[in-house]
Amino acid sequence: MAGLVIVGAGPIGAWVAEAALADRVVDAIVGVVDPDDRARRELVASTGAPGYATTVQIPRAELGDVALISFASAAERVAPEIIRLVSAGYDVVTTCEGLAWAPRHLWDAMHTSARSDGRTIIVTGANPGFSMDRLPLLLAGASRNVTSIKAKRSMDTSTCRPSLIAKSGRGLTAEEFAAQVMAGRVGHKGLDSSAKLIARGLEWPHKDVSLDIKPILVDGRAIGANHKARLSAGYGREIVLELSMAWKLEEPFDRVTVVGTPPITIDIPGGYPIDDGTAAHVVAAIRHCATLDPGFYRPTDLPLRFGVS
Ligand SMILES: NC(=O)c1ccc[n+]([C@@H]2O[C@H](COP(=O)([O-])OP(=O)(O)OC[C@H]3O[C@@H](n4cnc5c(N)ncnc54)[C@H](OP(=O)(O)O)[C@@H]3O)[C@@H](O)[C@H]2O)c1
């Protein structure tokens, strides 16, 4: 048993702190890091942990301590913080979407850092991390001669945290939507990563990915966005991922279709909940830190385990 440091006291950090204590995967929250005074103070008050404005102030880890890094989607922002915490003795779990398929130089830097400090770094989450990569790959493993994988996900953002609603582009005109997509402020991050993770798992080429994002407009304003990623792996093989996230979208669902022998289709009526789901994956990853060999693990690098052991 160990302590958990939360880096990024937003909704995900707060929910994970609560879930990790409730599930007894850690004994205590031993630090809360956030430059935002209000967010930090709230989580400090609810956990009793010391608060810090930056990771530079965090004390060295006690044996078995883990840090959750959940403050940004951009790999370039998160990777240096991970390396700092690993060198301070922490195993690290992160929900950073950009690290689900890390650029080569960051993958090398983190893998080297984890190996040389004898620590584990795990990238996890619901999407990327499960519903459009790990889950389709698990199903593909139950079929032969797979030629196509499709995952379709439809989300009602009215049940989601504010930062996700903002990323869906809600309230923007078509022009504003296009500008915010260009600036990287609107649009789900990680659809291309999920497609590449699936392709890699199937030992298919993974370079040819196209991405598309369009607003869902009602009376001239966006209620959300439609995203599509298509990966062509040659010889007619393809991976297609479609994600709709919009305010009050009716009848949300997840569907995964594997074309192979046998063909498989599964539906999750209501959809896999991204926020509760992410907390569940992070808690599982914290549990796994102690048992994995040192290294950097993308979502599909994690060994498959059944149950909670
Ligand atoms: N893979 C998945 O399935 C999945 C699922 C859910 C969330 N996520 C990702 O997980 C992250 C957390 O989500 P969230 O909704 O909780 O985010 P959020 O609402 O944006 O909260 C993040 C918090 O971290 C703070 N922060 C900014 N820079 C920091 C730094 N250098 N060190 C420590 N804290 C810092 C922010 O402060 P300011 O407000 O002052 O910037 C904010 O209080 C996001 O990147 C999100 O996209 C991934």
Side-chain angles (χ1 to χ4, degrees):
M1 293 290 260
L4 177 65
V5 169
I6 304 284
V7 183
I12 296 295
W15 293 330
V16 166
E18 193 184 329
L21 289 172
D23 291 12
R24 300 179 182 203
V25 292
V26 296
D27 294 313
I29 308 303
V30 294
V32 172
V33 184
D34 198 307
D36 179 329
D37 274 351
R38 191 192 48 77
R40 186 176 68 242
R41 270 201 230 109
E42 273 176 25
L43 197 53
V44 162
S46 65
T47 59
Y52 307 98
T54 83
T55 50
V56 178
Q57 300 163 318
I58 299 183
R60 271 200 71 77
E62 302 283 337
L63 187 66
D65 282 354
V66 180
L68 167 68
I69 305 202
S70 60
F71 71 84
S73 307
E76 291 73 13
R77 283 189 64 198
V78 174
E81 300 289 357
I82 292 181
I83 290 170
R84 192 196 317 279
L85 284 155
V86 163
S87 56
Y90 293 87
D91 288 322
V92 172
V93 175
T94 183
T95 57
C96 172
E97 290 93 334
L99 288 173
W101 184 276
R104 186 77 217 183
H105 65 289
L106 294 181
W107 190 93
D108 281 342
M110 282 185 296
H111 203 62
T112 305
S113 149
R115 285 285 179 92
S116 54
D117 284 295
R119 298 288 108 199
T120 303
I121 303 169
I122 299 177
V123 186
T124 193
N127 183 30
F130 177 67
S131 47
M132 299 186 105
D133 37 58
R134 274 196 111 198
L135 178 61
L137 261 184
L138 172 67
L139 296 175
S143 185
R144 295 172 45 246
N145 303 322
V146 173
T147 54
S148 157
I149 295 192
K150 294 197 169 114
K152 200 167 164 51
R153 182 162 160 77
S154 173
M155 291 168 60
D156 170 11
T157 55
S158 70
T159 62
C160 298
R161 63 195 192 284
S163 56
L164 191 79
I165 298 168
K167 278 188 200 169
S168 75
R170 182 175 181 237
L172 302 177
T173 63
E175 294 70 29
E176 289 165 347
F177 186 96
Q180 293 292 313
V181 169
M182 286 295 288
R185 283 191 283 271
V186 160
H188 170 75
K189 302 282 188 293
L191 213 57
D192 51 342
S193 301
S194 289
K196 288 176 184 177
L197 288 172
I198 295 174
R200 186 176 175 279
L202 295 173
E203 298 184 347
W204 291 0
H206 52 70
K207 300 255 188 279
D208 185 4
V209 190
S210 64
L211 274 178
D212 186 41
I213 173 168
K214 290 197 171 55
I216 304 170
L217 294 168
V218 174
D219 297 332
R221 298 261 167 198
I223 58 163
N226 281 326
H227 308 71
K228 187 167 185 172
R230 179 187 293 275
L231 185 150
S232 303
Y235 305 103
R237 298 170 301 181
E238 66 170 5
I239 295 161
V240 180
L241 307 180
E242 290 179 296
L243 171 66
S244 300
M245 39 191 225
W247 188 257
K248 301 273 185 200
L249 204 60
E250 282 178 12
E251 299 186 11
F253 66 92
D254 273 73
R255 174 171 302 142
V256 180
T257 307
V258 176
V259 178
T261 312
I264 304 170
T265 297
I266 64 146
D267 283 314
I268 305 180
Y272 184 72
I274 186 142
D275 295 337
D276 282 350
T278 296
H281 287 284
V282 171
V283 166
I286 293 170
R287 199 180 268 124
H288 289 162
C289 279
T291 60
L292 292 168
D293 288 336
F296 175 65
Y297 294 81
R298 294 168 290 204
T300 51
D301 296 330
L302 289 170
L304 187 60
R305 292 189 178 150
F306 295 96
V308 295
S309 61

